[in-house]
Amino acid sequence: MARRFAMVVALGVVTVVSAAIMLGLGELTIRSIHLLRDGIPFFESVDGGRIGPISLDQELGWKATEHYQETLVERTNAGRPYSVRRSQKQYGFRQFGDLDSKKIRLLVIGDSFTHATAVSDDLTYHALLAQLLDVEVFAYGAGGYGTLQELMILDRYIDIIRPDVILWQYCANDFINNDNELERLSLVNNNGWVRPYLQKGQVQLLSPKESSLQVREWINRRSRFLYFIVSRIDRLRAVRTRDTVEVAIESEGMRHPGFLRAVGVTDELMGRVRKKVGNRSIMAFNCVRAEPYDQAFRDISARHGIAYWDDVASVVLEAHHRGEDVYAADGGHWNERGHQLAAEAIASHFRAEMRTGTRP
């Protein structure tokens, strides 16, 4: 009996030691790749506040890292390699114009499409807008952002930048990311990071994951290897199943109670945006064409005096259907050509709005 017990204990010890060695090797490998490929310090920890282009923030959940830059090779969705030189400037802005300029100041706020990590600094849609419109551009985006986080960015920097016009980049996932219950049910638009939500008029920091909050938070903050593993599992689940809340929303539309609730929250948040900016012009576009999200953005924009352009994403999609290579490797975000097409469409709308002198 004693011998059997000793064998079980020995087997347990070997298993634990083997697992620890595998985790250690995995962590060593991932951190080495980050160091050599991305220039991220080997011992830099998310728990310390920063991993590459993203940093933790006690109010925002996360934010774009200030004074960050890297050069790397990206690939288009068709497999064509291209060099990317990207940087994040003051306060984490991709574009931070001249505060002393006499030009029209355009403040652009959005999520990953505005963060635009797959495109060089001078080829993002907002950098191209500065050239096409001869305006001073200040552009902030962070991957995975919802409307509340974008509003908080506006609140932080509007008095510093003092913009004349605000360009708001919507995305279909905003509704999911604005509602904790919907995000928990999503396999597509859920990065597992704690974020702020507006609930019953109050801002609360909550996790979008269910039962494994403590374990997931420990992984997110302390182990790059385990974060790599769990994030890849999330992606595989998203690809291999249709058991995600977006399927039900796109089938039921406004009849979906969770989506209807999220639309109400988004409407309230954009109302707060309007109140914050006063009588300044707000212009907006959606980076992805899909219903019922597009109609909800149209209605919200109309209620708050926001000029809404629903064809920007269509211009890129139509080019794709013509055989143009317009998407990045992930198949969803725009590559350099996609950003160019989007910038041209936005610039055309912007000129028309400014010619008519439309003001809320």
Side-chain angles (χ1 to χ4, degrees):
M1 193 73 176
R3 183 179 177 184
R4 193 175 190 179
F5 177 75
M7 289 179 65
V8 170
V9 170
L11 181 60
V13 170
V14 170
T15 301
V16 170
V17 170
S18 298
I21 291 173
M22 288 180 64
L23 288 173
L25 289 173
E27 195 72 23
L28 176 66
T29 300
I30 289 294
R31 288 175 182 261
S32 297
I33 291 172
H34 286 173
L35 175 64
L36 296 173
R37 185 191 65 188
D38 303 325
I40 301 172
F42 190 87
F43 290 107
E44 183 174 54
S45 167
V46 178
D47 197 44
R50 170 182 177 267
I51 278 290
I54 292 295
S55 301
L56 295 184
D57 186 275
Q58 291 184 345
E59 295 178 344
L60 294 162
W62 65 93
K63 63 183 180 181
T65 302
E66 185 175 22
H67 302 309
Y68 175 82
Q69 60 182 356
E70 67 176 327
T71 300
L72 67 162
V73 174
E74 292 279 3
R75 289 185 179 274
T76 67
N77 192 236
R80 177 179 60 81
Y82 63 102
S83 178
V84 171
R85 299 171 304 284
R86 65 190 187 201
S87 66
Q88 293 161 196
K89 302 169 179 64
Q90 193 170 352
Y91 309 118
F93 278 66
R94 277 305 302 269
Q95 305 288 330
F96 197 86
D98 181 2
L99 291 173
D100 295 323
S101 174
K102 302 302 181 184
K103 297 178 182 179
I104 292 174
R105 296 186 188 185
L106 176 64
L107 173 58
V108 185
I109 296 179
D111 59 15
S112 55
F113 279 80
T114 301
H115 199 185
T117 57
V119 182
S120 294
D121 292 348
D122 58 339
L123 295 175
T124 63
Y125 78 84
H126 36 79
L128 295 174
L129 286 177
Q131 303 169 29
L132 292 168
L133 300 171
D134 192 28
V135 295
E136 204 66 40
V137 171
F138 302 80
Y140 188 102
Y145 261 21
T147 309
L148 176 56
Q149 289 162 303
E150 293 162 353
L151 169 59
M152 294 166 80
I153 290 296
L154 175 71
D155 191 58
R156 282 189 182 190
Y157 302 115
I158 189 171
D159 291 336
I160 296 172
I161 295 170
R162 293 174 285 111
D164 300 297
V165 182
I166 289 84
L167 178 61
W168 205 272
Q169 177 246 302
Y170 292 137
C171 204
N173 59 277
D174 289 346
F175 297 104
I176 307 300
N177 300 142
N178 291 342
D179 186 278
N180 183 253
E181 185 177 332
L182 286 184
E183 192 164 12
R184 284 171 180 259
L185 295 172
S186 175
L187 299 176
V188 179
N189 297 301
N190 186 331
N191 64 10
W193 285 50
V194 170
R195 77 162 80 235
Y197 301 88
L198 186 67
Q199 296 199 320
K200 297 180 179 179
Q202 301 297 317
V203 175
Q204 296 185 44
L205 281 168
L206 300 170
S207 171
K209 294 296 181 181
E210 294 287 352
S211 59
S212 59
L213 169 59
Q214 292 182 342
V215 173
R216 186 74 179 228
E217 275 299 284
W218 187 94
I219 289 172
N220 289 348
R221 290 173 174 271
R222 291 176 173 82
S223 175
R224 297 191 215 170
F225 175 63
L226 289 177
Y227 178 76
F228 174 83
I229 296 298
V230 297
S231 63
R232 292 313 182 275
I233 291 173
D234 284 346
R235 292 180 189 179
L236 286 173
R237 290 178 65 202
V239 169
R240 296 188 177 189
T241 181
R242 290 183 58 78
D243 187 21
T244 183
V245 72
E246 288 83 357
V247 175
I249 288 172
E250 288 162 24
S251 173
E252 299 173 30
M254 288 296 182
R255 292 179 289 109
H256 190 285
F259 180 66
L260 191 60
R261 182 181 62 244
V263 170
V265 172
T266 306
D267 182 75
E268 181 177 350
L269 289 168
M270 292 310 296
R272 293 188 182 195
V273 170
R274 166 51 69 200
K275 184 177 180 180
K276 184 67 182 179
V277 307
N279 63 359
R280 295 179 177 97
S281 291
I282 308 176
M283 305 172 187
F285 69 96
N286 188 2
C287 62
V288 176
R289 288 299 303 273
E291 296 294 355
Y293 314 107
D294 234 351
Q295 187 58 56
F297 283 134
R298 289 188 200 98
D299 295 341
I300 290 170
S301 298
R303 275 193 291 274
H304 300 294
I306 299 169
Y308 177 55
W309 311 320
D310 61 3
D311 63 341
V312 174
S314 296
V315 169
V316 182
L317 183 60
E318 288 164 6
H320 169 70
H321 288 158
R322 293 194 302 268
E324 288 196 55
D325 191 7
V326 295
Y327 292 110
D330 63 10
H333 293 91
W334 304 324
N335 62 24
E336 295 168 343
R337 176 58 176 158
H339 274 262
Q340 179 188 4
L341 291 168
E344 290 169 353
I346 294 168
S348 177
H349 284 297
F350 187 95
R351 293 188 193 101
E353 290 290 333
M354 300 305 286
R355 276 197 302 270
T356 59
T358 302
R359 291 294 184 271

